[in-house]
Structures are given as structure tokens and as C-alpha cells.
Amino acid sequence: MKVLMLVSPQCQRAAQIASSLGDVVALAIAPDDTVFASLSLPASSTRIRLWDESLDPSSFHPFDVEARHAAVLAQAARRLGTSIVLLTESLTGFLSAGIAEQLNLAHVSEVVSAKLVSDGDDDPQLLVHRRGLRSLQVLRGTSQAVLSVLPSLQPASEPAQSVTSVTEWSLHDVSLGVADLPSPQLQVVAQSVRHHRPRLFLSPGALVARLRSDGLE
Amino acid sequence: MIEFLDSEPLCASLEALGQARRLGSAVGMTVYALLPMQSVAPQARERLGQLLGHFGADGVVLLTAESTVHEHELRFAPYARALQQACEELPPKLFLMADTPGARDIAPRLSARIGGVFLASGEPACEHGGLKLFDSHGQQVMPCDDPLADEMFAPTMLPVVMTLQAGRYALSRGSTAVPVRFMAPLDVDASSERTPVPGGGLAEDHCEPFSRSQRLWIQPPATIGPDTIPPLVAVSSERALLDRRSVHSLIAVGQSVVDRSDVQFGLPLGDGVTKDLLRVIEAEFARPKEPSVELNLSGLLSFHGDDDEELTPSTGRSWDGSDIVTGDTEPRLPVSAPSTAADSSVAHPPRTESASPSFERTNAGSDEMWDGDPTPHSVQDAVPQAELDGIDTEPITELGHKDSHSESPKAAASDENAKREEQP
């Protein structure tokens, strides 16, 4: 089974899960190959780097960037014939949901781990551990899903000596043109940045009471 | 969308509802509280109209799950069709959720489903009479006009789905029970690519323990391995590689927490006592949980209308003056103000003395920023009741400097009230 994994910072957990699920196709949307340097993947994995100037993160608001990346990754999954897509939770938080919506697949967020389990002659099923508010939710079902994996807390390992055999793709390779990408939906109207001070608590007791009211019993 | 746990709404969800109420009152929007029906006990459902009306809703919509099997954690799939149905019948301009694991599953997928914009940890505010949106970086953003809107009418803003960080907004206070309706998903064309996938074949198998020490890190574990699960809440530490993707709420401890904009909660204790924080926090959790706030709802108006009755924007509704304000620049009640407990419809349980050692309070920050037990004991009786429930945190443009909009909140409120009185 082919598993498409998006290469991004702190994606070691996603890489580990992907390796356990099947043949990994590691795809990066990046201008150069350095993103693969610190990634630990089986030697049999396929590495693909896709780039076009229209995907440059600095050109648009992060939401619009992720909407564009979602369109590209969904199309890449179609071309590769993968039914499981793994990626590390993004800061903007839209990417995995955007891919799932376009592929019409289930989307699971806050994924801690995943594996394939087989019951006799049936097709293997996907068993996903998801971080919940109060428990680790274990989901079971068909092996077709977009999994948004929690980032790894371990520092990235030392970069490898060299990265070899990275296939380069362009938008054309996934049958897309710049005009096919979603138009920007957000515009920044003011450059001033606004932050908030934290809510303060006089005592640990008050803080604990608040945490309890948010479900942290 | 309100998230429930053990039939009680999360405080963070009520804060989101409170901000929705303020925005609705300020710019003329109706506030619907959406509830996943399976997470609310049947005996509690009849009180929902009163409870959520009190906290700011104009109407309550119960979402019917597609599966009869109860899932213990909230996620998108079981409510996909009911959510879509709700968004078709009540097209939202803003869809707000508190930032929880459930919200991270629901909000972005719903945004993709309805073709809206998603802003994680965003901030909706009303300034100068208009709705303003800020992203997680604090930048003001504006959605483009909806290209599918009817050109005969004014351009329509794309729907915006946002998650809101816990602790940022005040609760709202109302006085009217509101109607409750059910939202059952319609049968849809299964051949459509936009057909909601009911779980895509994924359903809850079981739940495994997720201990409090795993969910709350006072100190990071001695060893962090590849399988270490990030906590939901953590005390901010330089060692941990924690950001908004891993952790929902960060807590800062120490003398200089007041101006930190990278955390949601602050505990300004002296440096000497922070070393003992783990023991103190554990001792507080070991204490029995105080009874939940019991609302005295007997004095509220009951709702006898037809559930399908069209709701109207609530700019004319009766709310506390402090609630008819504009988002996070809400006027704060002074700590020294006379007690308003007699006027409040919320009866708090009696507070008990903490067994934890008393900490010397730092003199950082204004009294208005404090939560919990905010004043020295000598003047505790004078604390406005609302302060115990939370007050908006203070927006700052740069560290250490107040936002210009928060310098004279009362003046801003009076301006808003004056504008509203001029409206028909």
C-alpha cells in the first residue's frame, strides 16, 4: 500500500507512522532538497519535490498558501493512487482538512499513532489513535483517510551527508496550472500586529479551577 | 459551537459564545449556539435554552449525530451532515469554536466544506462599529467577497470559521430564555463529490486512558521520545518544543508573565515558589471539585414561541451594559466597585480556603487582568461577581504597551451605546 507523506518541519512522527503503514512516498513542496536532509525514511521510499513560484509561502496569507498546497497535494495523491495521506499538523491548521475535502476522504486530526490491523481474510483496517480532550480515542475503519499527525517533540536529527534520488515535479506533473489553483481569499488590511496579555490567576487554586472548567479533570 | 463535557459546557466554549454575543449586539447578528446532541444528557436539554440564552445565545440548535453509537470525543464526521444542514439553513457569517481537540477536527473541515475561510486561534472584534478579524499572528485580515453571491445584492463576505483561544474573552450575561430546535441531517445525493463522508468508514472503537499528567505538563518529562504525546496544557518551558500545533494552552509562571503574549494563562508567582509548583498543583487537583455554578434561572423569561419562529437580530435585547461592547476592548469593572452579587443571576458556590501555601502577589499588571480570586482578602467582599467568571484579556500592540482601543474602554462603550441608540 502506498502512503503519501508531506515533508515538513517536525515530521518525524508522521514519517514513523507512514513507514509502518506501507510504501512511503515523501513529497515536499519546497524550492530545494534541503527539507529531506534530516528526514529518516526507509531506503525504498520515494522522494518527490514539487515546486512552483505560485506556491511560495511568502506570496499570500498562510491560509491561502495552505489552500493552494491542499489542491496540489490532493492532485498528487490522485496521480500516485494513494488512499492514505499523512502530514504533520500545520500552524494554520487547514491543510489536512483541505486535502480530505478534495479527495472526499475521512479526516482525522491530532493523530498520535496509526497502524494497519488485519482480521483474517478481510482487507486490513486502519487503527488510529487520536488525542482527545479527556482520552485517547481509537478509531477503526477502512484504510482511506487523511491523517493530521501531532508534531514530534524530539529535536530534528543531524542532517544526513547528502540527499540523493529526489524526483522533481512541477505543477504540470500533477496536471495543474497556475490558473487551477485557488484564488486568494484573505487579504491583510493592516500591518500592525496585535497581541494579548495572558489571563492572570492569583493562586494555583484559581488556575486549577479554570483548567477543570475546560475539562482537565 | 458549544462543546460539552459531562453535560456541562466548557468554560472556553462559553467565552466564545460571550464574544459572539458582543459581536452580534454590536453589528447586528443573530447568535446561534450549536450543540452536539449526544454530549448533553437528555434531562439537561430542556434547560439549554435558559442556560445558553443566559450566556449569550439568541437560539439553540441541537445537532443530531448520524451514528447512534456515542463517541466520547468530539469530531467532525458524526455531525458532518447536521453541521452542513445547519450552515445551509442558517448561513453563518462567523462560525466560532473554542480551541479544543474537537475544534481542530471540526472547524477546518467545516470551513473546507462550506467554502469558507479558516482562521485558527483568530480573533473577531468590533471596532469603530465594524467587524474586524485578526489572525493568529495578530494581523488584521479581510475575507474577499463571495464569488458565488448574487450580484443583485450587496457583495457577501465569505463565511469565516475561527477557533478562539481559551481565556481571552469574558462571559456574557443575558436575561432571556431562547428557543431550542433540532437539526437533523437531510438525505443527500450520494453521487455528489461534495457528499459528506460519514466518518469515511472510521468510527470510534474504544478510548484509552489519557492521564492528567499526560495532558498537563507542569514540567516536561525527563526524557522525550519519538512516541511522547504532546500535552494539551503545559507550563511554558524553554526546553520543550511546544507550539500552537502541539499544545492548546500555555501557562507562564513567574514575575514577568504579565506582558507575555505567547501564553494564554499567567501565574505571577515569586521565583522561590515555582519550584514547588508541581506539588501545589497536584494538591489542588486532589481537592474535591467545587460544585458547578448553579444558575438561578427561575427569574428568567421562559420561551413559549414556535421553535421555527424566525429569530431577529438582537441589538434591542436587554443585556448588561458591560456586554454591549465591542469585543476584546470590553470595559472592565473596577475591582473596588461595590458588590453586584445581589443583582447577579449567578450564584457561585462558597469559596473554600486553599490548602496550598499562600504566595506573595507580584505587583505586576492591573487588578483588572486577574482571574480567580482577584483581590486581597480585606476587600474580597467588594469584588464584582463578574470578575470571578473572567474578564477579557488586554490587547497590546507591542509588548508592554496597551492597545489604543483599550485605553478608555468606558468611553468606547458609551460611543457604541450612543451609536446603537441612533439605530432604528
Side-chain angles (χ1 to χ4, degrees), chain B residues 258-385:
Chain B
V258 176
D259 285 329
R260 283 190 61 174
S261 60
D262 59 332
V263 299
Q264 287 74 53
F265 300 129
L267 199 54
L269 307 177
D271 292 335
V273 292
T274 56
K275 297 173 185 171
D276 208 19
L277 190 62
L278 176 60
R279 186 187 62 79
V280 173
I281 293 285
E282 287 298 330
E284 288 294 339
F285 270 113
R287 292 159 59 86
K289 186 181 180 182
E290 289 184 351
S292 60
V293 172
E294 279 297 325
L295 292 170
N296 177 12
L297 300 169
S298 57
L300 298 184
L301 300 174
S302 59
F303 185 83
H304 296 297
D306 182 356
D307 281 359
D308 293 330
E309 181 175 321
E310 186 72 19
L311 297 175
T312 54
S314 58
T315 50
R317 285 183 58 183
S318 171
W319 295 88
D320 287 356
S322 63
D323 278 334
I324 309 293
V325 291
T326 55
D328 57 9
T329 56
E330 177 175 2
R332 295 163 175 79
L333 297 174
V335 172
S336 58
S339 172
T340 57
D343 300 329
S344 172
S345 59
V346 178
H348 285 264
R351 301 185 72 81
T352 53
E353 289 300 318
S354 169
S356 61
S358 58
F359 296 106
E360 183 180 353
R361 176 180 172 178
T362 66
N363 56 4
S366 65
D367 285 335
E368 296 162 351
M369 300 171 60
W370 293 76
D371 208 328
D373 193 2
T375 54
H377 292 296
S378 59
V379 292
Q380 188 173 0
D381 291 343
V383 178
Q385 195 67 59

Side-chain angles (χ1 to χ4, degrees), chain A residues 10 13 61 89 91 101 131 133 136-138 185 187 194-195 197 199-200 202 210 212 214, chain B residues 15 73 109 113 123 127 167 204-205 228 244-246 259 266 285 287 328 371 373 391 396:
Chain A
Q10 289 183 265
R13 190 193 304 268
H61 187 274
E89 197 101 19
L91 277 171
E101 188 65 17
R131 183 178 71 171
L133 191 60
L136 289 177
Q137 187 180 33
V138 183
Q185 293 185 316
Q187 51 182 315
R194 164 161 141 156
H195 297 292
R197 292 192 169 98
R199 182 173 297 279
L200 300 178
L202 179 62
R210 170 57 205 250
R212 279 177 153 170
D214 278 339
Chain B
E15 288 175 349
E73 297 288 344
R109 187 71 192 261
R113 175 73 38 95
E123 180 188 357
E127 291 177 357
E204 182 178 294
D205 188 73
T228 303
R244 202 174 62 245
R245 299 174 299 167
S246 328
D259 285 329
F285 270 113
R287 292 159 59 86
D328 57 9
D371 208 328
D373 193 2
I391 291 192
I396 49 177

Side-chain angles (χ1 to χ4, degrees), chain A residues 201-212, chain B residues 251 253 265-267 281 372:
Chain A
F201 296 87
L202 179 62
S203 66
L207 174 64
V208 168
R210 170 57 205 250
L211 295 177
R212 279 177 153 170
Chain B
I251 303 165
V253 181
F265 300 129
L267 199 54
I281 293 285

Side-chain angles (χ1 to χ4, degrees), chain B residues 20 35 40 59 66 79 82 110-111 201 210 219 262 264 300 304 323 378 414:
Chain B
L35 274 66
V40 184
E66 291 171 42
Y79 299 98
L110 179 67
S111 165
F210 191 25
Q219 294 164 337
D262 59 332
Q264 287 74 53
L300 298 184
H304 296 297
D323 278 334
S378 59
S414 59

Side-chain angles (χ1 to χ4, degrees), chain A residues 8-10 13 16 61-63 78 88-94 97-98 100-110 112 125-142 144-145 147 150-156 184-217, chain B residues 5-6 10-12 15 71 73-75 101 104-105 108-109 113 116-118 120 123 127 135 137-138 140-144 167-169 193 195 197 199-208 210 215 217 224 226-232 241 244-246 248 257-261 264-268 280 284-285 287 289 328 359 361 369-373 390-391 393-397:
Chain A
S8 62
Q10 289 183 265
R13 190 193 304 268
Q16 190 180 27
H61 187 274
F63 167 78
R78 288 190 185 106
T88 301
E89 197 101 19
S90 64
L91 277 171
T92 306
F94 180 76
E101 188 65 17
Q102 298 201 31
L103 294 174
N104 206 16
L105 291 177
H107 167 244
V108 185
S109 65
E110 308 250 318
V112 173
Q125 288 198 310
L126 190 61
L127 202 65
V128 181
H129 281 68
R130 171 178 178 258
R131 183 178 71 171
L133 191 60
R134 200 159 52 173
S135 60
L136 289 177
Q137 187 180 33
V138 183
L139 301 165
R140 178 192 285 264
T142 55
Q144 297 178 338
L147 306 181
L150 287 172
S152 170
L153 298 182
Q154 276 192 318
Q185 293 185 316
L186 273 178
Q187 51 182 315
V188 178
V189 295
Q191 291 300 324
S192 61
V193 176
R194 164 161 141 156
H195 297 292
H196 280 262
R197 292 192 169 98
R199 182 173 297 279
L200 300 178
F201 296 87
L202 179 62
S203 66
L207 174 64
V208 168
R210 170 57 205 250
L211 295 177
R212 279 177 153 170
S213 71
D214 278 339
L216 200 73
E217 189 52 57
Chain B
L5 198 62
D6 296 335
L10 298 186
C11 186
E15 288 175 349
E71 293 204 357
E73 297 288 344
L74 186 62
R75 63 192 187 98
R104 290 190 183 186
D105 200 74
R109 187 71 192 261
R113 175 73 38 95
V117 170
F118 176 61
E123 180 188 357
E127 291 177 357
D135 65 13
H137 304 291
Q140 188 185 337
V141 295
M142 189 171 71
C144 301
R168 180 170 289 182
Y169 300 105
E193 194 190 18
T195 299
V197 183
L202 284 169
E204 182 178 294
D205 188 73
H206 63 280
C207 283
E208 295 181 355
F210 191 25
R215 289 180 287 159
W217 283 7
I224 293 179
D227 298 328
T228 303
I229 303 172
L232 294 170
L241 289 166
R244 202 174 62 245
R245 299 174 299 167
S246 328
H248 289 262
V257 301
V258 176
D259 285 329
R260 283 190 61 174
S261 60
Q264 287 74 53
F265 300 129
L267 199 54
V280 173
E284 288 294 339
F285 270 113
R287 292 159 59 86
K289 186 181 180 182
D328 57 9
F359 296 106
R361 176 180 172 178
M369 300 171 60
W370 293 76
D371 208 328
D373 193 2
I391 291 192
T393 57
E394 206 166 11
I396 49 177
T397 50

